[in-house]
Amino acid sequence: MNPADAPVSFSTLATEPVYNVKAVCKRTGLTAATLRAWERRYGLPQPNRSDQGYRLYSERDIAILFWLRRQIENGVSIAHAVHHLESLLGSGHDPSVTIPPLPAQTTNSPRSPDVLRDEIVQALIDLDERAAEHLLSEALAIYTLETALISILQSAVRTVRELHHDGKIPTTTQHLALNYIHQRLLNMAQTLPSARHLSKSVITVGFSAEHNEIDLLILAILLRRQGIPVTYLGSDLEPKMLEHALDHLNARLVIFYADDPKHVIQLVGFEMPRTTAADPVRIMCCGRALEIAPELKVHIACEYLGSDLREVLHIVMNAMLDTPPIEVS
């Protein structure tokens, strides 16, 4: 047997915290989000913290991660794997696991969207805008704009919000991270060429306290990239006020975005005029609100598009364009 393939006991491994999150992800094949989830839910592993608050892992921590991964690969749930490991350690056993050598460097292989997302999140948490900018540029260079903005950037936003919700990062860190992403998207939107001439446009509307400006910006950028005019009317506009704006805005579609049922309730009983100029106006609603409260659907005169921004994008493009979209993922 090759010595590198021999199992090693936990007790023989160093407990000195020396590896950062990026190094552990590269070594184990696990994502940073997985590491945080296991730590939060099951208390394993338990990394130390540097003076700056960064997670640092030991050789023993890496062995624990490999041990848990092997159990999962054998069909054991992570919860049962953790319980079994705790039982072994509690009864004085010394588990062992085979730790493969470091993989060969593969500089020609692009990193996955999940890896780039996790690294962007870590850069934002570290308040390292230069690193975040470099990673976002890498994502835009490797993947389609749709994948970069939805699978990577929107997912990073959700991860940051989850970390704040779970008390893992302070409010100031969340605000700085989201403000950076918001400003980056605004800059991107401003550099896009003017939308090609279409007879109709898409109007997007949010609701107060929804904090979905980033999602609407992503949707607007991707639609404008297809040459579709988009106007965002903000988050403080009451739906009934739209009746007087449709002719002026020359809208074909009006999209309401709501994640909270208490906001989408404003659309109950509301009916937009079905014609403006000579063409019908389609009223749509997206977000999680109607997934949380599906009983409201029968009371709202809107086409419900769901909460997946990619699906929303494709439905809207098909409704607005006579030809298939140029860029697909």
Side-chain angles (χ1 to χ4, degrees):
M1 178 184 294
N2 188 324
D5 297 329
V8 293
S9 300
F10 285 11
S11 61
T12 65
L13 297 171
T15 58
E16 180 184 2
V18 293
Y19 301 103
N20 62 20
V21 171
K22 182 177 180 180
V24 173
C25 291
K26 181 177 180 181
R27 186 73 185 276
T28 64
L30 299 169
T31 68
T34 296
L35 298 181
R36 289 192 297 268
W38 288 3
E39 179 187 344
R40 180 176 69 250
R41 297 172 187 171
Y42 310 110
L44 285 176
Q46 295 179 335
N48 284 265
R49 296 276 182 164
S50 69
D51 293 338
Q52 293 77 31
Y54 307 148
R55 289 177 174 81
L56 292 175
Y57 297 79
S58 66
E59 286 284 355
R60 190 173 188 271
D61 291 325
I62 289 176
I64 289 173
L65 291 168
F66 271 113
W67 192 94
L68 293 172
R69 202 181 81 172
R70 296 286 184 271
Q71 301 301 307
I72 294 171
E73 289 170 352
N74 290 329
V76 180
S77 71
I78 179 59
H80 283 87
V82 169
H83 178 72
H84 182 43
L85 180 57
E86 290 175 339
S87 296
L88 289 174
L89 296 173
S91 59
H93 287 79
D94 187 13
S96 62
V97 67
T98 299
I99 300 178
L102 284 170
Q105 188 71 15
T106 54
T107 55
N108 293 327
S109 299
R111 287 177 292 175
S112 70
D114 286 349
V115 170
L116 283 169
R117 174 203 61 205
D118 291 341
E119 292 188 5
I120 287 173
V121 169
Q122 191 62 49
L124 293 172
I125 291 173
D126 296 342
L127 306 182
D128 190 344
E129 288 192 6
R130 180 177 296 180
E133 182 66 25
H134 175 77
L135 290 164
L136 180 55
S137 296
E138 180 180 346
L140 291 167
I142 295 173
Y143 296 103
T144 65
L145 185 63
E146 184 178 316
T147 294
L149 295 190
I150 296 179
S151 299
I152 298 175
L153 204 57
Q154 186 194 39
S155 183
V157 168
R158 290 178 176 174
T159 300
V160 167
R161 285 175 172 154
E162 288 172 3
L163 290 171
H164 176 258
H165 180 268
D166 294 340
K168 300 297 184 181
I169 60 173
T171 299
T172 52
T173 299
Q174 178 190 233
H175 283 180
L176 288 169
L178 298 185
N179 284 341
Y180 164 78
I181 293 176
H182 188 267
Q183 187 59 51
R184 187 63 175 80
L185 289 169
L186 281 176
N187 292 340
M188 189 180 298
Q190 291 168 358
T191 60
L192 285 173
S194 299
R196 70 190 183 204
H197 176 73
L198 290 178
S199 60
K200 296 293 180 179
S201 65
V202 174
I203 309 300
T204 61
V205 186
F207 291 88
S208 297
E210 285 278 359
H211 305 296
N212 52 30
E213 292 88 352
I214 288 177
D215 300 274
L216 289 171
L217 259 177
I218 290 173
L219 181 61
I221 289 170
L222 293 172
L223 288 172
R224 287 202 64 185
R225 180 67 176 271
Q226 299 293 344
I228 298 172
V230 183
T231 301
Y232 174 46
L233 293 185
S235 58
D236 296 316
L237 186 68
E238 293 184 13
K240 63 183 180 181
M241 297 174 64
L242 284 173
E243 179 179 350
H244 307 292
L246 287 184
D247 282 326
H248 173 69
L249 295 172
N250 206 21
R252 174 176 291 175
L253 298 180
V254 176
I255 302 174
F256 294 98
Y257 191 120
D259 285 325
D260 191 328
K262 72 182 179 184
H263 296 135
V264 81
I265 275 179
Q266 295 182 47
L267 298 177
V268 172
F270 169 74
E271 291 187 10
M272 191 77 72
R274 300 310 295 173
T275 58
T276 180
D279 299 320
V281 177
R282 294 176 66 178
I283 311 301
M284 300 177 172
C285 182
C286 61
R288 292 186 291 273
L290 292 179
E291 291 178 357
I292 298 171
E295 67 277 4
L296 294 176
K297 292 179 184 178
V298 297
H299 302 290
I300 296 176
C302 294
E303 301 174 49
Y304 180 52
L305 307 184
S307 60
D308 186 311
L309 198 58
R310 193 183 298 270
E311 292 183 6
V312 172
L313 171 68
H314 289 176
I315 292 171
V316 174
M317 286 195 302
N318 289 335
M320 293 294 295
L321 297 176
D322 296 327
T323 57
I326 299 169
E327 176 183 284
V328 295
S329 298

